[in-house]
Every structure is written in structure tokens, then in C-alpha cells.
Amino acid sequence: MPRSPEEVTKLFNYNRWANAKVLESASTLTEEELERKLGGSFPSVLGTLGHLYAAEWVWLERLKGVSPPGLPPAQEVPTLPVLKEKWSAVEAGQKAFVESLTDARMDETVSYRNVKGEPWSYELGELLVHIVNHSTYHRGQVATMFRQVGKKPAATDYLLFLDAGTSGA
């Protein structure tokens, strides 16, 4: 697991890069393809992307010391343009947060309540890895959904991010 602020910053740079690739690809889908019920953790491409945004939002709030009682409702991001706008603000908040990290903070314990009201505590460094890993998991689901509608998904492998030379972005 990353143990330095620099490693975490690189992971979040990757996460933003990969999210941008997926959102760019999603903008090539028709409204029907975005909203088609395909199954999976969330029923559609737009629904899955909406969950990704919502999860990144709730984690950012928790990192700020707030434990929201729930995720933002899907109605908050009814279209891809609205989703992109709201997600951009979350990513800006994430970027500011990870860029403010110090070595000493990486081992700090972060305590929060999940959406069921249950208390949890983890090391900050571990939570930051979880956030990126969760997004990677659901981007994989979006890739499968793209194939189900007959489209080619965005390539978001970490090594492609490194090859693009954007690791410090």
C-alpha cells in the first residue's frame, strides 16, 4: 500500500485520468445506450458512473470529517453533462486534499459512520487506496457494459497511464 503522499497523489492522478477516459467514451454513447438496463451492480452505464461519482463524493466528505447519511441520489446527476460537472468539483476537492498530505498524516486513523450509521475506522493511507480501487472496480463494470451495447470501452490500465506520461498531472 502507498506509504507516501507522493504515491497517493500519483494514484489519484491515475484515478482522474481513468475517469476522464471513461467519461470521454461515455459521451460517444446515445442517451438510450447510456440508460439501457444491462444488469450488474447498477443497471446502466449512466447509473454506474453516477455511483462512481457518488462514492467519490461521500469519501471526500468523510475525509473532511463529515459522515453523510447517504449517497447523493441518482436524480442529482440525470445526464452525462451534469454528472461531469459535479464530478469535476469532487475531483478538484480530492486533488486539493491529497496534495495537502504529509508523511505524518498517512498513518492517521480516520473515523466515520457509513450510510447505515455504523462506526468505522481505518488508516488514512488505506482509505485512499480503497477509494481508487473502488473506482477501478466499477470502471471495469462500465467496460463490460460498453461491450454489451456493441461499443469499445476506454482503455484505463494503470500502465497505459504511465505510458501516457501523465503520472504527475
Side-chain angles (χ1 to χ4, degrees):
M1 293 298 122
R3 291 290 165 212
S4 74
E6 295 78 18
E7 290 170 319
V8 167
T9 297
K10 190 174 186 178
L11 273 178
F12 273 81
N13 288 344
Y14 161 70
N15 197 56
R16 277 192 310 280
W17 174 86
N19 286 343
K21 290 279 188 190
V22 170
L23 288 169
E24 182 182 326
S25 291
S27 67
T28 68
L29 299 179
T30 66
E31 187 174 324
E32 186 279 327
E33 290 168 334
L34 278 169
E35 296 178 9
R36 188 182 302 170
K37 305 292 186 229
L38 299 166
S41 297
F42 301 91
S44 66
V45 170
L46 187 60
T48 305
L49 292 173
H51 171 73
L52 269 166
Y53 148 75
E56 289 192 11
W57 173 85
V58 82
W59 279 111
L60 180 59
E61 291 301 301
R62 289 171 180 163
L63 294 172
K64 293 193 261 181
V66 178
S67 292
L71 298 175
Q75 299 90 326
E76 213 176 90
V77 288
T79 65
L80 196 58
V82 171
L83 173 67
K84 286 179 179 180
E85 182 181 323
K86 288 187 172 283
W87 207 342
S88 177
V90 169
E91 288 185 333
Q94 290 172 332
K95 186 173 196 253
F97 182 86
V98 299
E99 287 178 352
S100 74
L101 289 174
T102 61
D103 287 327
R105 291 208 53 211
M106 295 301 292
D107 294 327
E108 283 181 7
T109 298
V110 174
S111 297
Y112 65 94
R113 291 194 174 273
N114 67 12
V115 296
K116 296 177 186 174
E118 301 164 334
W120 293 90
S121 295
Y122 294 96
E123 284 183 8
L124 176 59
E126 300 294 351
L127 280 180
L128 294 170
V129 171
H130 166 74
I131 294 165
V132 174
N133 186 61
H134 177 264
S135 294
T136 299
Y137 173 77
H138 286 297
R139 282 191 301 267
Q141 291 180 323
V142 169
T144 295
M145 291 175 161
F146 264 75
R147 290 181 183 101
Q148 288 176 309
V149 298
K151 302 290 173 106
K152 184 177 179 184
T156 60
D157 286 341
Y158 181 73
L159 294 179
L160 293 174
F161 163 73
L162 295 178
D163 291 346
T166 55
S167 59

